[in-house]
Amino acid sequence: MFKAPYLLFLGDAPDRLAAKMAQGIYDWRPESAVGQFRMKDCNVDLGITDLSIQDAVAAGAKTLVIGIVNRGGVISESWKSVLIEALEAGMDIASGLHNLLRDEPDLVAAAEKAGQKLYDVRVPSIQYPIANGKKRSGKRCLAVGTDCSVGKMYTTLSMHREMKKCGMNATFRATGQTGILIEGDGVPLDAVIADFMAGSIEWLTPDNAEDHWDLIEGQGSLFHASYSGVTTALIHGGQPDALILCHEPTREHMRGLPEYQLPPLEALRDLSLRMATIVNPDCKVIGISINTQHMEEAEAMAYLNKVEKEMGLPTIDPFRQGPSRLIEALTCV
Amino acid sequence: MFKAPYLLFLGDAPDRLAAKMAQGIYDWRPESAVGQFRMKDCNVDLGITDLSIQDAVAAGAKTLVIGIVNRGGVISESWKSVLIEALEAGMDIASGLHNLLRDEPDLVAAAEKAGQKLYDVRVPSIQYPIANGKKRSGKRCLAVGTDCSVGKMYTTLSMHREMKKCGMNATFRATGQTGILIEGDGVPLDAVIADFMAGSIEWLTPDNAEDHWDLIEGQGSLFHASYSGVTTALIHGGQPDALILCHEPTREHMRGLPEYQLPPLEALRDLSLRMATIVNPDCKVIGISINTQHMEEAEAMAYLNKVEKEMGLPTIDPFRQGPSRLIEALTCV
């Protein structure tokens, strides 16, 4: 979609949380970031070179990526002069903010004049097809969760990185705005029109080499009343050969739904597999990824061991331990 | 949404199939149709009064409903003078065509000048909320199918009509364009943005009297790779207390998916109930509606008896037999 390498724009980010988009890109694609641009009241430092717009272009930057999320997701007026300078200097701009670049007339005019592009990754840029359900070549792995935001993206990104390191043939397939900003491409599934959801995922994960794996970023949860339709479309459009179950064990209720408890991993396994086998009878659940960030090391290890014994599947925290055991399991599919 | 009663516009419909929207409205809401408007080359007659635009207005018509679907779903230039006359005479216009009324500058101008409204029922007219999953008062019944177009809308419409006849408290909740044209209101679910699908159905089926039933029109199928996400959102947004299984026994493969067989009714029962109990643990499958239009009477009756015995649930064809046994089953929920 948009071109690497990037200049990561941190603007006037007050803290690390506000700069989490930039941090995500730098964590997962350090080779794509030529440097950072910080305005004078920025309180965050990613630890890479500070570059002016002109220096960034000289260093080869093709796209300025807005790596800051402020309250309300708006494009601050104070950023405008920098953004316009970047367009004039020959960079495109990419953003995942609610406030779309295309809705800012001054940016649209500057981009047009400079012959540069504005990429709003939060909204679909193409008309996706309706899914046809046909079997595609190559292999696909999808992360599914007991809830939203339990580590599905982290799991697939870490698997992808490790697979590339081992020389395996794999692609990370982003389905949400952070993932798209990291990968530079993908489908903003939550913004796709209902009829085209599964088709957009078929489009995202086309025929491929027999040894190729798509690592598909999960969204929502089959058990989450607000977003389960999105998850279903992801399973049926993605036609996974392998499923990874993702879970965050300290959460007290489903995200945003105080009346709902998280389902047990057994329930996630059974329902996800039931849905997946409708489109791929050979699909298997191959492992479990647990987000233990709110547990002490000893507690986390004990929990991982307990789940592994109960479920009979490789169970790891990819942040603590790396994803190697999931990849081993994948190679047996 | 749009106001009854209607003048049913048949335009230059070459045959009954082209006029099926008008036919649907007249079949299910005869009291809403003051008459039909046929252009001189129209080959269809619904059997109601032919009215001029002026006579229709005099008879109280508030909305001209485009009841014809031509090839490509376009608004024919030859209709324009009639449509503009209707606007000038004080009627609104409602349409379910792909070609939106709002995309025709001459209609937009005429509507504005006359102070009348254009209703494109194929696209959402409001910003739906994100679903919150909260329990609502009143009861809800949803039709789910082994495939698309197996009679889900017919089933809920016929149940609704029968319930009203018996003095029961019930509302038909349309989720597709034909249903919306019939009811005059509803959610065009296949055109809703992914994140808001379940929320749109919560909005459509709000808190209600304890004895009130929403009869929710089904869409797609959990087993249909293209549309299963829409069906999931409908189940989780609708929070049904009762499910009706719908099936068409002569179909050779899933609609539009030649590689896929229809699932057995047992599979539909189990998966639909599993999904529904996530949001309503008390949900029950209460009956089965079979579309036997492609079977002879004796064959149909034998099939219905066989399914009833195998599944242990009231099994009927609402077209042949009426829906009374489904409504009896509903009153036990």
Side-chain angles (χ1 to χ4, degrees):
Chain A
M1 192 198 258
F2 53 91
K3 283 176 285 195
Y6 317 135
L7 174 65
L8 299 179
F9 177 78
L10 301 183
D12 47 3
D15 52 37
R16 274 205 115 67
L17 191 63
K20 71 175 186 167
M21 294 276 196
Q23 187 74 56
I25 297 171
Y26 185 59
D27 285 348
W28 294 106
R29 297 288 186 272
E31 71 282 6
S32 295
V34 299
Q36 64 186 0
F37 185 102
R38 302 188 293 158
M39 289 166 59
K40 66 176 188 314
D41 40 2
C42 180
N43 286 326
V44 185
D45 183 352
L46 297 179
I48 47 171
T49 323
D50 283 295
L51 292 176
S52 70
I53 296 296
Q54 292 305 331
D55 290 345
V57 172
K62 299 271 183 276
T63 307
L64 178 149
V65 177
I66 298 184
I68 166 176
V69 182
N70 53 12
R71 196 181 290 255
V74 298
I75 295 164
S76 167
E77 282 303 315
S78 66
W79 305 348
K80 289 281 182 73
S81 60
V82 181
L83 301 182
I84 290 170
E85 188 189 343
L87 291 165
E88 288 172 349
M91 276 190 272
D92 297 329
I93 301 181
S95 164
L97 296 175
H98 257 294
N99 178 178
L100 303 184
L101 296 167
R102 71 181 66 162
D103 291 339
E104 297 298 306
D106 44 358
L107 297 181
V108 171
E112 220 157 86
K113 197 167 157 210
Q116 300 302 133
K117 295 209 174 90
L118 301 176
Y119 294 97
D120 288 302
V121 306
R122 190 179 276 272
V123 290
S125 54
I126 68 160
Q127 170 67 59
Y128 302 112
I130 285 180
N132 62 30
K134 286 193 200 301
K135 178 87 187 146
R136 301 177 314 275
S137 53
K139 302 233 177 207
R140 284 153 199 88
C141 173
L142 172 68
V144 293
T146 49
D147 193 4
C148 302
S149 313
V150 291
K152 296 186 294 288
M153 183 181 78
Y154 189 98
T155 301
T156 37
L157 276 167
S158 69
M159 290 176 71
H160 175 250
R161 175 152 69 188
E162 183 79 6
M163 290 169 84
K164 298 301 279 185
K165 223 185 270 173
C166 304
M168 293 173 72
N169 192 3
T171 310
F172 170 69
R173 299 298 189 181
T175 60
Q177 70 229 24
T178 306
I180 296 172
L181 282 179
I182 290 170
E183 181 61 24
D185 205 350
V187 167
L189 185 57
D190 61 6
V192 172
I193 299 275
D195 251 4
F196 304 99
M197 292 186 300
S200 75
I201 302 303
E202 289 189 350
W203 173 89
L204 183 67
T205 60
D207 279 324
N208 220 314
E210 286 307 327
D211 71 339
H212 178 273
W213 278 97
D214 279 324
L215 284 314
I216 309 174
E217 180 191 357
Q219 292 294 335
S221 166
L222 287 175
F223 293 84
H224 196 294
S226 315
Y227 308 117
S228 52
V230 177
T231 312
T232 299
L234 200 46
I235 294 175
H236 281 178
Q239 275 186 6
D241 302 280
L243 293 170
I244 313 271
L245 311 182
C246 299
H247 184 52
E248 203 281 66
T250 68
R251 197 163 294 179
E252 287 174 1
H253 60 74
M254 296 291 280
R255 193 175 168 92
L257 306 177
E259 288 89 352
Y260 289 82
Q261 297 303 301
L262 273 68
L265 278 161
E266 289 84 351
L268 177 65
R269 175 194 63 201
D270 294 346
L271 186 54
S272 305
L273 198 59
R274 180 69 193 88
M275 291 303 284
T277 52
I278 289 172
V279 291
N280 181 1
D282 298 328
C283 182
K284 289 184 176 51
V285 175
I286 62 126
I288 301 173
S289 175
I290 306 281
N291 175 349
T292 64
Q293 66 175 316
H294 298 301
M295 293 173 146
E296 297 298 326
E297 173 83 10
E299 188 192 3
M301 299 315 291
Y303 182 82
L304 292 167
N305 282 331
K306 176 172 151 290
V307 171
E308 175 143 353
K309 219 171 270 175
E310 284 171 3
M311 299 286 292
L313 287 165
T315 303
I316 52 115
D317 180 336
F319 185 82
R320 287 185 195 267
Q321 305 166 301
S324 333
R325 293 186 60 220
L326 296 181
I327 294 161
E328 274 165 43
L330 212 56
T331 55
C332 305
V333 172
Chain B
M1 192 198 261
F2 54 91
K3 283 177 284 193
Y6 318 135
L7 174 64
L8 299 179
F9 177 78
L10 301 182
D12 46 4
D15 52 37
R16 277 208 113 65
L17 191 63
K20 69 173 188 167
M21 295 275 198
Q23 187 73 58
I25 296 171
Y26 185 58
D27 285 349
W28 294 106
R29 298 285 186 275
E31 72 281 7
S32 295
V34 298
Q36 63 186 359
F37 186 102
R38 302 188 294 158
M39 289 166 59
K40 66 176 188 317
D41 40 1
C42 180
N43 286 325
V44 185
D45 184 352
L46 297 179
I48 47 172
T49 323
D50 283 296
L51 292 176
S52 69
I53 295 295
Q54 292 306 330
D55 290 346
V57 171
K62 298 271 182 279
T63 307
L64 178 149
V65 177
I66 298 184
I68 167 177
V69 182
N70 54 12
R71 196 180 291 253
V74 298
I75 295 164
S76 167
E77 281 304 315
S78 68
W79 304 348
K80 289 281 184 74
S81 61
V82 182
L83 301 182
I84 290 170
E85 189 189 342
L87 291 166
E88 289 171 350
M91 276 190 271
D92 297 328
I93 302 181
S95 164
L97 296 175
H98 257 295
N99 179 177
L100 303 184
L101 296 167
R102 71 180 67 161
D103 291 339
E104 298 299 306
D106 44 358
L107 297 181
V108 171
E112 218 157 87
K113 197 168 156 210
Q116 299 302 134
K117 294 210 172 91
L118 303 175
Y119 294 97
D120 288 301
V121 306
R122 189 179 276 272
V123 290
S125 54
I126 67 159
Q127 170 68 60
Y128 302 113
I130 286 181
N132 62 31
K134 286 192 198 302
K135 179 86 187 148
R136 305 183 302 284
S137 53
K139 302 233 178 208
R140 285 154 200 87
C141 173
L142 172 68
V144 293
T146 49
D147 193 3
C148 302
S149 312
V150 291
K152 297 186 294 289
M153 184 181 77
Y154 189 98
T155 301
T156 36
L157 276 168
S158 69
M159 289 176 71
H160 175 249
R161 177 153 67 189
E162 185 77 6
M163 290 168 83
K164 297 302 279 185
K165 223 184 271 173
C166 304
M168 293 174 71
N169 192 2
T171 310
F172 171 69
R173 298 298 189 182
T175 60
Q177 71 229 23
T178 306
I180 296 172
L181 282 179
I182 290 169
E183 181 60 26
D185 204 350
V187 167
L189 186 56
D190 61 7
V192 172
I193 300 275
D195 251 3
F196 304 99
M197 293 186 300
S200 75
I201 303 304
E202 289 188 349
W203 173 89
L204 183 66
T205 59
D207 279 324
N208 220 314
E210 285 308 326
D211 70 339
H212 178 272
W213 279 96
D214 279 323
L215 283 314
I216 309 174
E217 180 191 358
Q219 293 295 333
S221 166
L222 287 176
F223 292 85
H224 196 294
S226 316
Y227 308 118
S228 53
V230 177
T231 312
T232 299
L234 200 45
I235 294 174
H236 281 178
Q239 275 186 6
D241 302 279
L243 293 170
I244 312 270
L245 311 181
C246 299
H247 183 53
E248 203 281 65
T250 68
R251 197 163 294 180
E252 287 173 359
H253 60 73
M254 296 292 280
R255 193 176 168 92
L257 306 177
E259 289 89 351
Y260 289 82
Q261 297 303 302
L262 273 68
L265 278 162
E266 289 84 351
L268 176 66
R269 174 194 63 201
D270 295 346
L271 186 55
S272 305
L273 199 57
R274 180 67 192 89
M275 291 302 285
T277 51
I278 290 172
V279 292
N280 182 0
D282 298 328
C283 182
K284 289 185 175 49
V285 175
I286 62 126
I288 301 174
S289 175
I290 307 281
N291 176 349
T292 64
Q293 66 175 316
H294 299 300
M295 293 172 146
E296 297 298 327
E297 174 84 10
E299 187 192 4
M301 299 315 291
Y303 182 83
L304 292 168
N305 282 329
K306 177 172 150 289
V307 171
E308 175 144 351
K309 221 171 266 172
E310 284 172 3
M311 298 285 293
L313 287 166
T315 302
I316 52 114
D317 180 336
F319 185 83
R320 287 185 195 266
Q321 306 165 302
S324 334
R325 294 187 59 221
L326 297 181
I327 293 162
E328 274 165 42
L330 212 55
T331 54
C332 305
V333 171

